[in-house]
Amino acid sequence: MNGIIIATFFVLLTGLLAGVLLSAASKIFYVKEDQLFLDLREKLPGANCGGCGYAGCDDYAHAIAEDKTVPCNKCSVGGPAVAKELAGILGTEAEEAERRVSVVACDGRKENVGKLYEYEGIQSCKAAKTLYGGSFTCPYGCMGLGDCVSVCEFDAIHVENGVAVVDRDKCTACGKCVSVCPNHLISLTSGKSLVNVLCSNKDFGKDASSVCKVSCIGCGICEKTCKFDAIHVVDNVAVIDYDKCVSCGACAIKCPRHCIINRRVKATASL
Amino acid sequence: MSHIGALFIIIISMVLVDNYPLAQFLGICPFLGVSKDLGSAKGMGIAVTFVMTLATAVTWPIQKLILDPLNIGYLQTVVFILIIAALVQFVEMFMKKSMPSLYKSLGIFLPLITTNCAVLGVCISVIDDGLNFVDSLFTAFGAGLGFWFALFIMAGVRSKLEDQSRIPEPFRGVPIVLITAAILSLAFMGFSGMFQ
């Protein structure tokens, strides 16, 4: 009986001491928070999701309070409403967050790509991918079974002629299709950039050209054509640096495989 | 001089032979969770090393001076958790006031490891092994360094795995990370028996 009393008493005492110590410490080591920070922090949703690129809402509020050049539209949970409130507190204009859209980097329409076999299983890209990497000759391309379509809440992506196509007006850049695509074909790019490479085939020239009519063979002609150093062949695929690209479309004209699209001239085209 | 040598051996053996995440499998959660990039691995590594040493410095005397004489050594786990949690909170407040730059660089990592099992593990294992106070401190410091080292290797490997398009579909994401950790752990098994 004595043991249990000592044990209970001791643990209670430890807890009590720790509590007293901490509450005293919070008074002694009290740091006055910047009022600006407190105001900003109050407007943030407090989800601590890290979507803004900072370690939680506190960190982000500190960043905008201390550095005026940090944009106040980074909170994706709060969206434009929160950005406006933050800007109101800071006394600046809320910049419109740059519009971004999803781009499917594949043009493997039915007439462009061959078939290995007829797939009749579950209508899902993920399932098809487990059978020899999909039913098409190109293992990197769009399987057209619409995992992205079913995940899109905005009706902004559809399979047309065997390839997923983004409706750029409806796309909200939520990124759900980006993460669901088993071949990682979809990426978020700036809505302003109108030139995109529509191929993700990482094989060498001959292998790439034998599986699809419009595959990137990594020849590098686009690289030489570009005056802005904005397109490079990485892993045998041309990749556009959207910070440098001015959407002039020179690479799209020179591409011998026609796998670069210029939406400015082909605004009516299916992609 | 020989004593300094012994302390040095303690540190080396805690880093390589008895590495906490890779050989003793303690602290796996932050080991897998915070090893995505080298920057956060560094923050976490420093914070764990710091808290481990500090926690051992506080819990060792409590065990020897209070728990053992009162014959309530079995309360070790409960009391240690309480003390470590309070201690970390206290240190956080203290640092916020007195060392703002250090507070900023440790950031969220400090409260994250309040209830880290590796911290509790090192406090308990130094007492189980019957080490004296100085040896305990060096063991804790070495364990922290070992954790940091493992975290750093893991983060380095994982940054190479970022492009997952070449990894077979079923292994993408968590599976490849677990396999990486297993291979790392096997590699560290090669150090076992180095000092015996």
Side-chain angles (χ1 to χ4, degrees), chain A residues 3 6-7 10-11 14-15 18 21-22 25-26 28-31 33 55 66 126 129 140 182 184 202 235, chain B residues 62 66-67 70 72 74-75 78-79 82-83 86 89-90 93-94 96-98 104 108 163 165-166 169 172:
Chain A
I6 293 181
F10 183 72
V11 174
T14 314
L21 178 79
L22 285 185
S26 73
I28 297 169
F29 300 121
Y30 178 72
V31 180
E33 292 286 6
E66 280 163 24
K126 217 165 195 165
K129 175 89 180 157
Y140 299 92
H184 304 279
K202 293 191 168 100
D235 285 342
Chain B
I62 285 176
I66 301 174
L67 294 186
L70 285 177
I72 47 172
Y74 59 89
L75 282 178
V78 180
V79 173
L82 256 176
I83 290 169
Q89 294 291 316
F90 178 78
M93 287 179 202
F94 176 73
K96 198 173 179 182
K97 175 85 176 177
S98 325
K104 235 178 183 169
I108 51 161
D163 174 23
S165 56
R166 290 256 163 165
E169 178 73 11
R172 279 178 201 167

Side-chain angles (χ1 to χ4, degrees), chain A residues 77-249:
Chain A
V77 176
V82 165
K84 212 167 181 180
E85 285 188 273
L86 294 180
I89 295 168
L90 290 169
T92 53
E93 281 291 314
E95 276 174 46
E96 276 288 312
E98 186 196 37
R99 209 180 109 70
R100 288 158 71 80
V101 287
S102 295
V103 170
V104 183
C106 178
D107 190 15
R109 282 174 287 180
K110 284 193 176 121
E111 63 265 28
N112 288 336
V113 68
K115 277 217 161 184
L116 287 174
Y117 59 91
E118 281 303 323
Y119 178 73
E120 288 182 348
I122 308 163
Q123 291 299 298
S124 146
C125 308
K126 217 165 195 165
K129 175 89 180 157
T130 57
L131 290 171
Y132 310 103
S135 64
F136 293 99
T137 45
C138 176
Y140 299 92
C142 177
M143 286 172 275
L145 294 169
D147 282 9
C148 48
V149 178
S150 52
V151 85
C152 184
E153 289 175 18
F154 305 97
D155 191 35
I157 190 162
H158 299 280
V159 174
E160 288 169 19
N161 207 0
V163 165
V165 178
V166 176
D167 182 336
R168 288 167 76 91
D169 295 327
K170 286 185 185 167
C171 181
T172 60
C174 67
K176 279 195 178 156
C177 52
V178 176
S179 52
V180 83
C181 178
N183 276 347
H184 304 279
L185 294 172
I186 312 178
S187 56
L188 293 179
T189 57
S190 160
K192 284 185 204 131
S193 57
L194 297 168
V195 176
N196 301 119
V197 178
L198 296 185
C199 183
S200 307
N201 192 312
K202 293 191 168 100
D203 284 340
F204 284 104
K206 193 163 169 283
D207 296 335
S209 65
S210 63
V211 294
C212 179
K213 285 181 195 161
V214 289
S215 55
C216 175
I217 53 172
C219 64
I221 290 177
C222 48
E223 229 178 77
K224 289 181 198 112
T225 309
C226 186
K227 292 191 182 101
F228 305 95
D229 191 36
I231 188 164
H232 296 281
V233 176
V234 182
D235 285 342
N236 298 311
V237 186
V239 176
I240 294 177
D241 180 348
Y242 290 104
D243 291 335
K244 290 178 183 165
C245 180
V246 297
S247 299
C248 69

